[in-house]
Amino acid sequence: MILGSHVSVAGGLAKGVARAEAVGCDCIQVFTKNNNQWRAKPLVEDDITAWNDALSASSVGRPIAHASYLINMASPKDELFQKSIDALVIELERANALTLEGLVVHPGAFTDSSESEGLDRIVDAASEALGRVEPGSCRLLLENTAGQGSCLGHTFEQLAYMLDGIEQADRIGICLDTCHAFAAGYEINTKEGFVDMRKKIDRLLPENSIAALHLNDSKKPLGSRVDRHEHIGRGEIGVDAFRFVTEDSLLGKLPGYLETEKGTDEETGEDWDVINLRVLRDME
Ligand SMILES: [Zn+2]
Ligand SMILES: [Zn+2]
Protein backbone atom coordinates (compact mmCIF):
# COMPACT_ATOMS: atom_id res chain seq x y z
CA MET A 1 0.00 0.00 0.00
CA ILE A 2 0.96 3.63 -0.33
CA LEU A 3 1.40 4.59 3.32
CA GLY A 4 2.12 7.86 5.01
CA SER A 5 1.07 10.23 7.73
CA HIS A 6 -0.30 13.61 8.64
CA VAL A 7 2.72 15.80 9.40
CA SER A 8 3.25 19.22 10.89
CA VAL A 9 4.35 22.02 8.56
CA ALA A 10 5.72 24.17 11.39
CA GLY A 11 8.53 26.23 9.92
CA GLY A 12 7.13 25.99 6.40
CA LEU A 13 5.51 23.53 4.03
CA ALA A 14 8.86 22.16 2.85
CA LYS A 15 9.69 21.21 6.46
CA GLY A 16 6.62 18.99 6.42
CA VAL A 17 7.99 17.05 3.47
CA ALA A 18 11.30 16.55 5.31
CA ARG A 19 9.41 15.26 8.37
CA ALA A 20 7.39 12.84 6.24
CA GLU A 21 10.50 11.54 4.50
CA ALA A 22 12.38 11.10 7.79
CA VAL A 23 9.80 8.62 9.08
CA GLY A 24 9.47 6.78 5.77
CA CYS A 25 6.19 8.10 4.37
CA ASP A 26 5.17 7.35 0.77
CA CYS A 27 2.37 9.92 1.04
CA ILE A 28 1.68 13.05 3.07
CA GLN A 29 -1.23 14.96 4.60
CA VAL A 30 -0.84 18.52 5.91
CA PHE A 31 -2.83 21.52 7.05
CA THR A 32 -2.09 24.31 4.57
CA LYS A 33 -3.13 26.86 7.20
CA ASN A 34 -3.76 26.95 10.95
CA ASN A 35 -6.62 24.49 11.42
CA ASN A 36 -8.12 26.40 14.35
CA GLN A 37 -8.26 29.79 12.66
CA TRP A 38 -10.46 31.16 9.91
CA ARG A 39 -7.84 33.43 8.43
CA ALA A 40 -4.64 32.53 6.65
CA LYS A 41 -1.68 34.40 5.33
CA PRO A 42 -1.97 34.09 1.55
CA LEU A 43 0.36 31.59 -0.08
CA VAL A 44 3.15 33.31 -1.99
CA GLU A 45 5.05 32.00 -4.98
CA ASP A 46 8.06 31.14 -2.76
CA ASP A 47 5.92 28.87 -0.53
CA ILE A 48 4.62 27.04 -3.57
CA THR A 49 8.05 26.65 -5.14
CA ALA A 50 9.59 25.42 -1.87
CA TRP A 51 6.80 22.86 -1.50
CA ASN A 52 7.09 21.63 -5.08
CA ASP A 53 10.88 21.42 -4.91
CA ALA A 54 10.83 19.57 -1.59
CA LEU A 55 8.28 17.05 -2.87
CA SER A 56 10.02 16.38 -6.17
CA ALA A 57 13.38 15.92 -4.43
CA SER A 58 11.83 13.41 -2.00
CA SER A 59 10.31 9.95 -2.21
CA VAL A 60 7.06 11.36 -0.80
CA GLY A 61 4.02 11.77 -3.06
CA ARG A 62 0.21 11.71 -3.12
CA PRO A 63 -0.12 14.97 -1.11
CA ILE A 64 -3.45 15.90 0.44
CA ALA A 65 -4.61 18.48 2.98
CA HIS A 66 -7.06 18.36 5.84
CA ALA A 67 -9.38 21.36 6.06
CA SER A 68 -9.98 23.44 9.19
CA TYR A 69 -12.09 21.96 11.97
CA LEU A 70 -14.00 25.25 12.21
CA ILE A 71 -15.82 24.65 8.93
CA ASN A 72 -19.41 23.48 9.41
CA MET A 73 -21.21 23.12 6.11
CA ALA A 74 -24.30 21.73 7.90
CA SER A 75 -24.78 24.71 10.21
CA PRO A 76 -28.33 26.11 10.36
CA LYS A 77 -26.85 29.50 11.33
CA ASP A 78 -26.47 31.60 8.20
CA GLU A 79 -23.37 33.42 9.39
CA LEU A 80 -21.41 30.25 10.22
CA PHE A 81 -22.72 28.56 7.07
CA GLN A 82 -21.49 31.41 4.85
CA LYS A 83 -18.19 31.65 6.73
CA SER A 84 -17.71 27.93 6.19
CA ILE A 85 -18.23 28.24 2.44
CA ASP A 86 -15.77 31.14 2.25
CA ALA A 87 -13.21 29.16 4.25
CA LEU A 88 -13.68 26.12 2.04
CA VAL A 89 -13.08 28.26 -1.05
CA ILE A 90 -9.77 29.46 0.42
CA GLU A 91 -8.75 25.93 1.37
CA LEU A 92 -9.58 24.60 -2.11
CA GLU A 93 -7.65 27.40 -3.79
CA ARG A 94 -4.61 26.72 -1.60
CA ALA A 95 -4.85 22.99 -2.30
CA ASN A 96 -4.96 23.60 -6.04
CA ALA A 97 -2.04 26.06 -5.83
CA LEU A 98 0.00 23.34 -4.11
CA THR A 99 -1.18 20.68 -6.62
CA LEU A 100 -2.68 18.53 -3.88
CA GLU A 101 -4.83 15.55 -4.83
CA GLY A 102 -7.46 16.13 -2.22
CA LEU A 103 -8.84 18.33 0.52
CA VAL A 104 -10.42 16.33 3.35
CA VAL A 105 -13.31 18.01 5.14
CA HIS A 106 -15.69 16.88 7.87
CA PRO A 107 -19.19 17.36 6.42
CA GLY A 108 -20.54 19.16 9.48
CA ALA A 109 -22.98 19.11 12.38
CA PHE A 110 -26.65 20.05 12.09
CA THR A 111 -26.83 21.21 15.79
CA ASP A 112 -30.42 22.35 16.46
CA SER A 113 -31.84 21.71 12.98
CA SER A 114 -32.42 18.17 11.64
CA GLU A 115 -30.49 15.47 9.84
CA SER A 116 -32.22 16.15 6.53
CA GLU A 117 -31.79 19.93 6.77
CA GLY A 118 -28.14 19.42 7.65
CA LEU A 119 -27.58 17.12 4.68
CA ASP A 120 -29.12 19.66 2.31
CA ARG A 121 -26.95 22.44 3.76
CA ILE A 122 -23.84 20.33 3.11
CA VAL A 123 -24.92 19.75 -0.49
CA ASP A 124 -25.51 23.49 -0.98
CA ALA A 125 -22.27 24.56 0.71
CA ALA A 126 -20.04 22.15 -1.18
CA SER A 127 -21.74 22.96 -4.50
CA GLU A 128 -21.30 26.69 -3.94
CA ALA A 129 -17.66 26.37 -2.86
CA LEU A 130 -16.77 24.22 -5.87
CA GLY A 131 -18.61 26.63 -8.13
CA ARG A 132 -16.45 29.48 -6.89
CA VAL A 133 -13.11 27.68 -7.43
CA GLU A 134 -11.56 26.96 -10.81
CA PRO A 135 -11.19 23.19 -11.31
CA GLY A 136 -7.67 22.05 -10.47
CA SER A 137 -5.75 19.08 -9.12
CA CYS A 138 -7.75 18.87 -5.92
CA ARG A 139 -10.88 16.84 -5.24
CA LEU A 140 -13.01 17.76 -2.25
CA LEU A 141 -13.04 14.66 -0.06
CA LEU A 142 -15.88 14.29 2.44
CA GLU A 143 -14.70 12.30 5.42
CA ASN A 144 -16.85 9.71 7.16
CA THR A 145 -17.27 10.66 10.80
CA ALA A 146 -17.67 8.89 14.14
CA GLY A 147 -21.09 10.53 14.49
CA GLN A 148 -20.36 12.51 17.64
CA GLY A 149 -23.25 14.75 18.64
CA SER A 150 -25.07 15.89 15.52
CA CYS A 151 -22.10 15.33 13.16
CA LEU A 152 -23.24 13.99 9.80
CA GLY A 153 -21.39 11.55 7.55
CA HIS A 154 -21.30 8.59 9.94
CA THR A 155 -23.32 6.35 7.60
CA PHE A 156 -22.65 5.52 3.96
CA GLU A 157 -26.30 6.41 3.29
CA GLN A 158 -25.59 9.99 4.39
CA LEU A 159 -22.36 10.15 2.40
CA ALA A 160 -24.18 8.79 -0.68
CA TYR A 161 -26.84 11.48 -0.30
CA MET A 162 -24.15 14.18 -0.24
CA LEU A 163 -22.30 12.76 -3.24
CA ASP A 164 -25.54 12.47 -5.16
CA GLY A 165 -26.58 16.07 -4.46
CA ILE A 166 -23.35 18.03 -4.83
CA GLU A 167 -22.84 19.55 -8.26
CA GLN A 168 -19.68 18.69 -10.25
CA ALA A 169 -19.51 15.05 -9.14
CA ASP A 170 -16.07 14.56 -10.70
CA ARG A 171 -14.59 17.03 -8.21
CA ILE A 172 -15.77 15.26 -5.05
CA GLY A 173 -14.97 12.00 -3.31
CA ILE A 174 -14.69 10.31 0.08
CA CYS A 175 -11.90 9.92 2.59
CA LEU A 176 -12.55 6.80 4.67
CA ASP A 177 -11.30 6.89 8.26
CA THR A 178 -11.06 3.44 9.91
CA CYS A 179 -11.40 4.81 13.46
CA HIS A 180 -14.48 6.81 12.54
CA ALA A 181 -16.12 3.87 10.72
CA PHE A 182 -15.59 1.62 13.75
CA ALA A 183 -16.76 4.24 16.25
CA ALA A 184 -19.81 4.83 14.03
CA GLY A 185 -20.71 1.14 14.35
CA TYR A 186 -19.11 -0.62 11.36
CA GLU A 187 -17.61 -3.82 12.80
CA ILE A 188 -14.47 -3.79 10.64
CA ASN A 189 -12.50 -5.78 13.21
CA THR A 190 -14.21 -8.99 12.11
CA LYS A 191 -14.02 -10.39 8.57
CA GLU A 192 -17.80 -10.55 8.40
CA GLY A 193 -18.23 -6.95 9.54
CA PHE A 194 -15.57 -5.71 7.17
CA VAL A 195 -17.18 -7.52 4.23
CA ASP A 196 -20.55 -6.03 5.22
CA MET A 197 -19.07 -2.53 5.12
CA ARG A 198 -17.44 -3.20 1.75
CA LYS A 199 -20.78 -4.37 0.35
CA LYS A 200 -22.37 -1.15 1.59
CA ILE A 201 -19.68 0.89 -0.11
CA ASP A 202 -20.19 -0.98 -3.39
CA ARG A 203 -23.96 -0.70 -3.19
CA LEU A 204 -24.28 2.92 -2.06
CA LEU A 205 -21.32 4.92 -3.36
CA PRO A 206 -20.52 5.64 -7.00
CA GLU A 207 -17.47 3.76 -8.30
CA ASN A 208 -14.10 5.28 -7.40
CA SER A 209 -15.65 7.61 -4.82
CA ILE A 210 -13.18 6.67 -2.13
CA ALA A 211 -9.93 8.45 -2.88
CA ALA A 212 -7.99 8.24 0.38
CA LEU A 213 -7.90 6.43 3.71
CA HIS A 214 -7.19 7.65 7.20
CA LEU A 215 -5.64 4.68 9.01
CA ASN A 216 -6.25 4.99 12.74
CA ASP A 217 -7.06 2.52 15.49
CA SER A 218 -9.67 3.60 18.04
CA LYS A 219 -9.45 4.25 21.78
CA LYS A 220 -13.23 3.95 22.01
CA PRO A 221 -15.37 0.84 21.40
CA LEU A 222 -17.47 -0.17 18.42
CA GLY A 223 -20.48 2.11 18.00
CA SER A 224 -19.32 4.53 20.74
CA ARG A 225 -19.64 7.43 18.27
CA VAL A 226 -16.63 9.01 19.95
CA ASP A 227 -13.61 9.99 17.84
CA ARG A 228 -10.33 9.13 19.63
CA HIS A 229 -7.44 7.82 17.56
CA GLU A 230 -5.06 5.12 18.81
CA HIS A 231 -1.84 3.61 17.44
CA ILE A 232 -2.36 0.83 14.90
CA GLY A 233 -3.14 -2.49 16.55
CA ARG A 234 -3.17 -1.03 20.06
CA GLY A 235 -6.79 0.05 20.28
CA GLU A 236 -10.28 -1.39 20.18
CA ILE A 237 -10.07 -2.18 16.46
CA GLY A 238 -6.90 -4.29 16.53
CA VAL A 239 -4.59 -5.36 13.71
CA ASP A 240 -6.95 -7.63 11.77
CA ALA A 241 -9.00 -4.77 10.33
CA PHE A 242 -5.88 -3.21 8.87
CA ARG A 243 -4.99 -6.50 7.22
CA PHE A 244 -8.48 -6.61 5.68
CA VAL A 245 -7.88 -3.09 4.35
CA THR A 246 -4.42 -3.76 2.92
CA GLU A 247 -5.61 -6.97 1.26
CA ASP A 248 -8.78 -5.38 -0.15
CA SER A 249 -8.89 -5.07 -3.94
CA LEU A 250 -10.28 -1.52 -3.78
CA LEU A 251 -9.09 0.00 -0.48
CA GLY A 252 -5.63 -1.61 -0.62
CA LYS A 253 -4.80 0.44 -3.71
CA LEU A 254 -5.51 3.80 -2.09
CA PRO A 255 -3.06 6.03 -0.24
CA GLY A 256 -3.45 5.59 3.52
CA TYR A 257 -2.54 8.36 5.96
CA LEU A 258 -1.93 7.88 9.68
CA GLU A 259 -3.46 10.42 12.05
CA THR A 260 -2.15 8.84 15.21
CA GLU A 261 -0.42 10.59 18.07
CA LYS A 262 3.11 11.87 17.44
CA GLY A 263 6.10 11.40 19.72
CA THR A 264 8.16 8.38 20.66
CA ASP A 265 7.42 5.09 22.37
CA GLU A 266 8.64 5.50 25.95
CA GLU A 267 9.94 1.95 26.09
CA THR A 268 11.93 1.86 22.86
CA GLY A 269 12.45 5.55 22.11
CA GLU A 270 11.24 4.89 18.57
CA ASP A 271 9.13 7.40 16.63
CA TRP A 272 5.44 6.42 16.61
CA ASP A 273 5.01 7.10 12.89
CA VAL A 274 7.91 4.73 12.18
CA ILE A 275 6.32 2.08 14.41
CA ASN A 276 2.81 2.44 12.93
CA LEU A 277 4.07 2.41 9.34
CA ARG A 278 6.06 -0.74 10.07
CA VAL A 279 3.04 -2.49 11.60
CA LEU A 280 1.06 -1.70 8.43
CA ARG A 281 3.85 -2.67 6.02
CA ASP A 282 4.50 -5.96 7.83
CA MET A 283 0.97 -7.03 6.90
CA GLU A 284 1.62 -6.87 3.20
ZN1 LIG B 1 -10.61 14.34 9.70
ZN1 LIG C 1 -10.72 11.20 13.80
Side-chain angles (χ1 to χ4, degrees), residues 33-39 67-72 80 84:
K33 55 182 278 300
N34 187 316
N35 62 312
N36 283 313
Q37 280 176 21
W38 289 104
R39 301 183 61 82
S68 168
Y69 298 131
L70 299 175
I71 293 173
N72 183 3
L80 178 57
S84 296

Side-chain angles (χ1 to χ4, degrees), residues 138-254:
C138 179
R139 259 167 105 182
L140 181 64
L141 303 180
L142 305 169
E143 183 174 2
N144 69 308
T145 64
Q148 278 189 201
S150 65
C151 287
L152 292 166
H154 57 94
T155 69
F156 290 103
E157 285 82 358
Q158 290 173 350
L159 293 167
Y161 184 88
M162 298 172 205
L163 290 182
D164 186 52
I166 298 169
E167 288 161 26
Q168 307 195 51
D170 55 329
R171 295 176 68 191
I172 51 170
I174 298 291
C175 174
L176 182 68
D177 185 309
T178 50
C179 167
H180 300 176
F182 181 77
Y186 294 101
E187 200 177 350
I188 56 172
N189 55 327
T190 68
K191 186 73 196 179
E192 205 186 351
F194 180 82
V195 169
D196 271 358
M197 183 186 76
R198 281 290 285 107
K199 281 187 186 150
K200 272 218 150 131
I201 290 172
D202 286 345
R203 185 162 52 83
L204 293 167
L205 302 184
E207 227 180 311
N208 301 320
S209 296
I210 302 182
L213 304 174
H214 281 167
L215 299 175
N216 304 304
D217 206 323
S218 176
K219 281 194 203 295
K220 299 291 176 184
L222 174 72
S224 59
R225 295 183 66 168
V226 178
D227 177 12
R228 294 283 181 279
H229 298 182
E230 182 56 281
H231 297 298
I232 305 297
R234 305 195 186 215
E236 295 284 328
I237 301 181
V239 282
D240 289 347
F242 298 94
R243 187 169 299 112
F244 304 149
V245 170
T246 37
E247 288 172 354
D248 187 81
S249 60
L250 173 80
L251 305 181
K253 293 193 173 63
L254 300 171

Side-chain angles (χ1 to χ4, degrees), residues 104-125:
V104 178
V105 66
H106 298 176
F110 63 79
T111 61
D112 59 356
S113 68
S114 66
E115 175 178 330
S116 68
E117 282 174 274
L119 288 170
D120 287 334
R121 288 287 245 191
I122 293 164
V123 166
D124 291 346

Side-chain angles (χ1 to χ4, degrees), residues 93-109:
E93 282 170 346
R94 293 170 82 87
N96 279 336
L98 296 166
T99 336
L100 307 186
E101 289 187 7
L103 174 72
V104 178
V105 66
H106 298 176

